[in-house]
Amino acid sequence: SQQQLDDDDDDDSTANNSNCTSGTSSRRTLGYLCFADRLENIPGGDEDAAHEEMKCTGWELVDFLSKPGLARHMGVARVVE
């Protein structure tokens, strides 16, 4: 919901990731992305892998719904500054 997305904007936590640099604790949301894609870089629809892949490309995964096989995974991500 939009209220949940707005509430998530206030979250200052950052995840540890050895492959990507994490941002500062003061972040500003620049935009959202709603997607439905096969996400070939995310084997088996692994949600942890999805979070890492999105983070490495400058996005923060807000919500993720994986689908089995060749179906499209769905989710919401935001880009933060």
Side-chain angles (χ1 to χ4, degrees), residues 31-48:
Y32 287 91
L33 169 71
C34 180
F35 65 89
D37 201 340
R38 285 185 39 214
L39 303 176
E40 294 179 8
N41 292 344
I42 303 170
D46 181 332
E47 186 169 351
D48 290 334

Side-chain angles (χ1 to χ4, degrees), residues 1 18 27-28 30 43 81:
S1 74
S18 61
R27 301 178 303 167
R28 181 173 68 119
L30 299 176
E81 169 179 67

Side-chain angles (χ1 to χ4, degrees), residues 28-33 59 77-80:
R28 181 173 68 119
T29 299
L30 299 176
Y32 287 91
L33 169 71
W59 292 90
R78 64 182 172 189
V79 63
V80 292

Side-chain angles (χ1 to χ4, degrees), residues 2-48:
Q2 184 60 42
Q3 180 62 41
Q4 180 182 1
L5 295 175
D6 290 341
D7 291 346
D8 288 343
D9 287 343
D10 298 330
D11 181 12
D12 288 338
S13 64
T14 56
N16 292 329
N17 181 350
S18 61
N19 296 325
C20 303
T21 59
S22 44
T24 64
S25 62
S26 175
R27 301 178 303 167
R28 181 173 68 119
T29 299
L30 299 176
Y32 287 91
L33 169 71
C34 180
F35 65 89
D37 201 340
R38 285 185 39 214
L39 303 176
E40 294 179 8
N41 292 344
I42 303 170
D46 181 332
E47 186 169 351
D48 290 334

